[in-house]
């Protein structure tokens, strides 16, 4: 699956507050793009605007497909998946069943099953997601028997199982220790290796700067820097934004 996600001039207003202001963003197939910034900078709002959960001005395209103004479920079917900061799993389903809920979401099966009015998930997509996130040994396990770190991987795997063109991840490393976070970075590289574009929002700088091909930095809803991780790390505006927020 490969298509470039392009956002141009994304702007979101909540009452008098401009949560996002003219943001341009590109996620190429097979690349990991980090989106960072201090608390309240607009990172989640940006994912909400891209995926249709926040009402935004500006344009969102996925390959040749104009997603601007479309509902979130339609954008998801066109190949733009997301996870949530508090991504709850289905507690009474095994790990594999959690993935099957999402698997096949956008395949030809979707069209046929919508027509027939019943669900027939694509098991191959779920199995591929199990392998990409290293979850095969947990396939038959119930979520509450897993560690927090493994549950976070299942949340990502569930989105991967929908075989998206681009995957937006909202703080997948929250609550992970350093080892788990490193593993997550490696798994995300594997996901990108299949051609999927990944937009990674996280506060874990080590993860974002080591795993991502490029990084976009938001402050007060505006892009203040973007580029290769090493350049962004040294950018004086980025250093000031983080020291100011510390
Ligand atoms: P964090 O790192 O703390 O999760 P963030 O960078 O994801 O923060 P957002 O959650 O996108 O930031 O918030 C951006 C701004 O928009 C903040 O000022 C926030 O208070 C405001 N905001 C977010 N959602 C809403 C909403 N539904 N209604 C009103 N204001 C909102």
């Amino acid at each position: 699956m490969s298509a470039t996600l392009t956002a141009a001039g994304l702007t979101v207003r909540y009452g008098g507050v401009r949560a996002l202001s003219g943001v341009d963003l590109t996620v190429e197939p097979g690349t990991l793009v980090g989106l960072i910034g201090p608390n309240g900078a607009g990172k989640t709002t940006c994912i909400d605007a891209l995926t249709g959960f926040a009402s935004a001005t500006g344009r969102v395209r996925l390959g040749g497909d104009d997603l601007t103004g479309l509902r979130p479920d339609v954008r998801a079917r066109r190949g733009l998946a997301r996870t949530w900061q508090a991504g709850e799993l289905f507690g009474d389903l095994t790990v594999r069943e959690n993935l099957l809920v999402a698997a096949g979401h956008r395949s030809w099966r979707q069209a046929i099953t919508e027509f027939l009015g019943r669900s027939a998930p694509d098991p191959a997509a779920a199995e591929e997601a199990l392998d990409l996130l290293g979850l095969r040994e947990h396939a038959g396990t119930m979520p509450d028997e897993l560690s927090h770190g493994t549950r976070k991987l299942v949340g990502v795997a569930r989105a991967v199982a929908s075989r998206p063109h681009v995957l937006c991840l909202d703080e997948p490393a929250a609550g992970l220790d350093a080892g788990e976070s490193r593993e997550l970075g490696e798994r995300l590289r594997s996901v990108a290796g299949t051609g999927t574009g990944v937009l990674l929002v996280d506060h874990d700088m080590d993860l974002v700067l080591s795993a991502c091909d490029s990084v976009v930095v938001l402050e007060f809803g505006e892009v203040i820097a973007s580029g290769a991780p090493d350049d962004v790390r040294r950018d004086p505006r980025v250093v000031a934004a983080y020291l100011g927020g510390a």
Side-chain angles (χ1 to χ4, degrees):
M1 293 290 171
S2 59
T4 301
L5 175 70
T6 320
L10 268 194
T11 300
V12 175
R13 289 183 186 79
Y14 289 120
V17 178
R18 252 200 198 202
L20 209 60
S21 204
V23 168
D24 298 336
L25 194 77
T26 302
V27 183
E28 308 260 10
T31 65
L32 261 160
V33 177
L35 182 61
I36 61 173
N39 287 325
K43 304 179 294 294
T44 296
T45 301
C46 186
I47 290 185
D48 288 346
L50 289 166
T51 53
F53 286 89
S55 160
T57 54
R59 301 212 77 80
V60 180
R61 301 185 68 85
L62 190 57
D65 210 0
D66 192 346
L67 303 185
T68 312
L70 297 179
R71 292 195 323 246
D73 57 317
V74 178
R75 296 188 201 208
R77 275 201 292 280
R78 302 271 179 93
L80 184 55
R82 74 169 294 174
T83 65
W84 304 83
Q85 248 165 299
E88 293 299 324
L89 301 172
F90 299 109
D92 51 355
L93 300 181
T94 66
V95 167
R96 177 180 276 115
E97 288 164 347
N98 263 274
L99 306 198
L100 279 167
V101 170
H105 190 51
R106 355 180 356 262
S107 68
W108 57 269
R109 287 162 190 273
Q110 175 80 13
I112 293 171
T113 53
E114 275 176 0
F115 178 69
L116 294 174
R118 62 194 167 86
S119 135
D122 176 2
E127 297 305 316
E128 190 181 289
L130 280 175
D131 286 334
L132 280 170
L133 276 302
L135 293 166
R136 180 149 299 282
E137 65 177 298
H138 302 297
T141 308
M142 303 306 285
D144 65 4
E145 292 166 33
L146 300 171
S147 68
H148 170 76
T150 307
R151 278 201 303 273
K152 295 291 278 188
L153 288 175
V154 177
V156 175
R158 191 169 53 184
V160 168
S162 73
R163 288 194 166 142
H165 292 303
V166 174
L167 177 54
C168 301
L169 301 173
D170 200 353
E171 299 200 25
L176 302 193
D177 66 29
E180 290 170 330
S181 177
R182 254 195 314 279
E183 185 190 347
L184 173 66
E186 286 161 18
R187 300 297 179 190
L188 295 182
R189 295 276 3 148
S190 303
V191 171
T194 67
T196 306
V198 181
L199 181 66
L200 171 63
V201 166
D202 214 278
H203 283 287
D204 183 334
M205 286 303 154
D206 288 339
L207 169 67
V208 173
L209 295 174
S210 67
C212 291
D213 300 290
S214 63
V215 179
V216 176
V217 188
L218 288 179
E219 188 184 27
F220 301 121
E222 289 183 29
V223 175
I224 58 164
S226 65
D230 278 345
D231 296 337
V232 163
R233 189 201 307 262
R234 285 192 290 264
D235 188 299
R237 287 191 69 181
V238 177
V239 173
Y242 276 94
L243 290 178

